[in-house]
C-alpha cells in the first residue's frame, strides 16, 4: 500500500539533494537528473558539486554546511526564488566516525547530532512553512539500519539515526493529511567514503548506484520506509523483536565485540 503520493514521473520536477558531493546522495542526484528532474545539489565541498554539475546540464549548485541554519536558509531562499518550491527534499548529508564508550568523545557525540539530526531539522525549518502553504512536497530523511537497535561502534552515529526514524514517523502523522509526503531511508551497507572506515567485512555491500535506484524506486512506490538490500534488512528487522539478552548475545556472536 502506498503511504505517500507516488513520485513516478520526474520530468520537470524539482529535487533538492543535501549531501550530494559523494556517495549515495551524489548517485541519487545523477539518477534523478537522468530521469529528467531539475536537481539542486548541496554539501560543503563546492568543487565536488561543480564537477558533478558540469556533466549534468541545468543542475543547480548550492554549497552549504547543513549544521549552519543560516546557510541552509540562504540556500533555500535562493532555490525557491530561482527554481520554485522543491517537489522533493532529501536530507542525505551524514557524518560517521566509529566510536565506543571506552573512548567517549563528547565533541564527536555532539558533531554527529549537529550534522545528522540538526541538519534535517534546519531543512524542515526552512521548507515546512512553504510546503504546508502549498499543500505539496516530499521530505525524505536519510536514516540507517543502525537505527533499529544498538550496535557496537555506533555510539555516536546510531542514536542520531534512531532519532530520525522517530522524527519521520511523527512528521508523517502530522503532514500526510496536509498533502505532504514523508519518507525515511534505511540502507544496509553501501560502498562510500563513509563506510570505507569500517575494518570489518560488510555483509550485502551495495554500490551507491544500486542504493540510488532503490531510493528512487521507494519514492515512486510511495513507501514510508525505504530499506535495502531487503535480504539483509529483513533479517535485522527480525532481530528488533528479540529480548535484550538474546539480542546482546547475537550481536556479540556476529561482531566479536
Ligand atoms: N554508506 C552506507 O553504508 C550508509 C548506510 C546507512 C546510511 N547511510 C547514510 O547515507 C548518507 C550518505 O552517506 P554516504 O554513505 O553516501 O557517505 P559519504 O559519501 O561520506 O556522503 C556524505 C555526504 O554528506 C555530506 N556532508 C557531511 N557533512 C556535511 C555537512 N556538515 N554539511 C553538508 N553536507 C555534509 C558530504 O559532503 P561534504 O563533505 O562535501 O560536506 C557528503 O556529500 C549519510 O546520512 C549516511 O549516514 C550510509
Amino acid at each position: 500500500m502506498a503511504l505517500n503520493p507516488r513520485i513516478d514521473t520526474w520530468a520537470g520536477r524539482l529535487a533538492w539533494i543535501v549531501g550530494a558531493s559523494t556517495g549515495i546522495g551524489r548517485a541519487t542526484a545523477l539518477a534523478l537528473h537522468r530521469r529528467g528532474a531539475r536537481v539542486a545539489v548541496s554539501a560543503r565541498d563546492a568543487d565536488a558539486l561543480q564537477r558533478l554539475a558540469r556533466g549534468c546540464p541545468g543542475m543547480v549548485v548550492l554549497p552549504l554546511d547543513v549544521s549552519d541554519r543560516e546557510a541552509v536558509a540562504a540556500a533555500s531562499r535562493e532555490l525557491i526564488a530561482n527554481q520554485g518550491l522543491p517537489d522533493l527534499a532529501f536530507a542525505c548529508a551524514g557524518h560517521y566516525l566509529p566510536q565506543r564508550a571506552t573512548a567517549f568523545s563528547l565533541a564527536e557525540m555532539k558533531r554527529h547530532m549537529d550534522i545528522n539530526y540538526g541538519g534535517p531539522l534546519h531543512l524542515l525549518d526552512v521548507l515546512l512553512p512553504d510546503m504546508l502553504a502549498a499543500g505539496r512536497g516530499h521530505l525524505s530523511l536519510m536514516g540507517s539500519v543502525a537505527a533499529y537497535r544498538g550496535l557496537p561502534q555506533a555510539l555516536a552515529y546510531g542514536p542520531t539515526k534512531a532519532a530520525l526514524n522517530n522524527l519521520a514517523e511523527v512528521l508523517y502523522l502530522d503532514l500526510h493529511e496536509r498533502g505532504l509526503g514523508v519518507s525515511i531511508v534505511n540502507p544496509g551497507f553501501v560502498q562510500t567514503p563513509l563506510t570505507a572506515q569500517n575494518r570489518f567485512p560488510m555483509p550485502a555491500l551495495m554500490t551507491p548506484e544500486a542504493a540510488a535506484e532503490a531510493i528512487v524506486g521507494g519514492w515512486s512506490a510511495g513507501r514510508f520506509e525505504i530499506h535495502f538490500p531487503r535480504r539483509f534488512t529483513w533479517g535485522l528487522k527480525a532481530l528488533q523483536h528479540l529480548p535484550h539478552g538474546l539480542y546482546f548475545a547475537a550481536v556479540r556472536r556476529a561482531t566479536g565485540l
Side-chain angles (χ1 to χ4, degrees):
M1 185 182 68
L3 294 182
N4 282 308
R6 297 171 190 268
I7 314 182
D8 39 21
T9 55
W10 284 99
R13 291 200 199 247
L14 178 62
W16 186 15
I17 314 293
V18 179
S21 59
T22 56
I24 303 170
R26 182 179 185 280
T28 306
L30 284 167
L32 293 182
H33 187 267
R34 264 198 314 276
R35 286 166 166 80
R38 295 179 294 135
V39 182
V41 288
S42 291
R44 291 164 305 178
D45 187 341
D47 291 343
L49 295 176
Q50 293 292 357
R51 282 196 299 277
L52 169 64
R54 268 203 287 279
C56 298
M59 189 173 273
V60 176
V61 170
L62 298 166
L64 55 79
D65 184 328
V66 82
S67 64
D68 176 350
R69 195 259 170 208
E70 280 321 303
V72 177
S76 167
R77 277 194 299 271
E78 187 179 331
L79 181 66
I80 291 171
N82 296 328
Q83 306 285 332
L85 186 64
D87 296 288
L88 173 128
F90 184 25
C92 184
H95 172 63
Y96 166 62
L97 201 64
Q99 193 176 166
R100 303 194 71 183
T102 43
F104 186 88
S105 159
L106 180 61
E108 267 307 326
M109 298 297 287
K110 288 186 166 174
R111 184 169 157 74
H112 280 75
M113 212 36 139
D114 286 348
I115 297 172
N116 297 0
Y117 188 70
L121 293 189
H122 291 155
L123 277 167
L124 292 175
D125 188 41
V126 302
L127 289 175
L128 262 177
D130 285 351
M131 284 189 172
L132 279 169
R136 65 170 186 85
H138 184 117
L139 296 158
S140 193
L141 308 181
M142 177 51 104
S144 164
V145 293
Y148 292 169
R149 292 196 81 166
L151 288 171
Q153 315 268 25
L155 186 77
Y157 181 78
T160 66
K161 297 300 187 178
L164 287 170
N165 269 260
N166 192 295
L167 177 72
E169 290 188 354
V170 184
L171 286 172
Y172 185 90
L173 290 168
D174 285 348
L175 299 177
H176 179 68
E177 297 302 318
R178 305 286 297 263
L180 273 61
V182 176
S183 56
I184 179 83
V185 179
N186 287 325
F189 290 111
V190 184
Q191 198 164 20
T192 67
L194 186 139
T195 47
Q197 312 170 70
N198 286 337
R199 293 286 162 261
F200 55 86
M202 291 180 271
L205 186 64
M206 297 172 76
T207 63
E209 290 71 27
E213 288 304 316
I215 292 167
V216 175
W219 291 329
S220 134
R223 294 213 170 90
F224 169 73
E225 187 193 6
I226 302 170
H227 63 95
F228 55 84
R230 294 193 157 216
R231 66 186 188 283
F232 180 58
T233 50
W234 281 122
L236 291 179
K237 281 178 174 294
L239 291 180
Q240 283 185 290
H241 303 289
L242 283 184
H244 285 103
L246 291 178
Y247 175 72
F248 293 144
V251 171
R252 285 199 201 293
R253 242 194 338 270
T255 65
L257 293 169

